Amino acid sequence: MRRFNILAVATAAAVVTACGPSEPAKDAPPAPPPPTDAEKAAVLASLPAPYNTGDLENGQRKFALCRSCHTITPGGPNLTGPNLYGVFGRKAGGLDGYTYSEALKKAGFVWEAAHLDAWLADPRGYMPGTKMTFLGIKEAQDRVDLIAYLKVETGFKPTEPAGAPAAAPAQ
Ligand code: HEC
């Protein structure tokens, strides 16, 4: 009797490398490019006192307190809280696609530094009924630095007329 050695032929598996160019997210609207360092410096310098002397590094450190719930990049996702890119000049509770509390939906103001300062000092004291469960930042200087950082990072355009698309300044 012959013995047949059955060779488990490991068919040289065609290594299919499916690494074409990665597709951009299909449902995301085209996001503006992030600000350059020069643009950030120009925004900082244009802010009214005391924000124009805000410490951006400290602001970035304080933003660590927000990061678990908020993104600030253009077109960034909503987490527990809404994406904050473009928050300055935006109606409170006004980001499409995010489900706000009734309190924030009915707030009836547009976000700028003064409202943000009061909000960040004590969110639930400032706006009873908000679902932002954050205790607040007690140090006034920390809030100044964080607001300066957010202005610089979230696409705030100091000289831009309301509602105009971001364009190169005419000069
Ligand atoms: C534990 C999660 C959490 C943390 C931490 C947090 N937030 Fe929020 N934030 C929320 C939620 C939830 C809302 C929506 C509140 C509502 O609808 O009442 C919100 C709303 C906001 C809004 C209003 C946005 C809009 O579109 O009207 C701002 C501004 C904001 N947060 C800033 C911050 C900043 C700055 C920090 C850090 C200092 C921070 N938040 C920390 C959860 C959080």
Side-chain angles (χ1 to χ4, degrees):
M1 276 269 216
R2 282 219 175 141
R3 292 184 65 203
F4 293 95
N5 284 330
I6 301 171
L7 296 175
V9 179
T11 334
V15 183
V16 183
T17 44
C19 47
S22 61
E23 299 266 323
K26 289 198 181 72
D27 49 355
T36 64
D37 285 350
E39 284 166 344
K40 291 180 189 182
V43 171
L44 183 67
S46 75
L47 300 178
Y51 300 103
N52 55 345
T53 53
D55 176 347
L56 296 182
E57 281 183 21
N58 187 45
Q60 185 172 30
R61 280 196 295 277
K62 296 303 157 202
F63 184 68
L65 298 167
C66 327
R67 212 176 264 290
S68 58
C69 297
H70 292 285
T71 61
I72 50 170
T73 47
N78 298 325
L79 306 177
T80 304
N83 170 257
L84 294 178
Y85 187 83
V87 69
F88 293 102
R90 186 161 91 197
K91 195 173 152 292
L95 182 66
D96 284 347
Y98 179 82
T99 308
Y100 292 94
S101 65
E102 285 300 308
L104 192 48
K105 266 194 282 191
K106 291 183 178 150
F109 60 79
V110 167
W111 284 114
E112 33 59 44
H115 277 111
L116 202 68
D117 185 65
W119 165 260
L120 292 180
D122 180 8
R124 285 177 293 176
Y126 182 65
M127 195 182 292
T130 179
K131 61 176 187 170
M132 174 154 134
T133 54
F134 175 70
L135 283 178
I137 297 177
K138 299 300 166 220
E139 283 294 324
Q141 188 59 46
D142 286 343
R143 296 196 302 274
V144 166
D145 295 343
L146 176 57
I147 289 168
Y149 172 76
L150 288 173
K151 287 247 180 187
V152 163
E153 294 292 330
T154 61
F156 172 71
K157 296 278 190 298
T159 55
E160 189 178 303
Q171 56 173 318

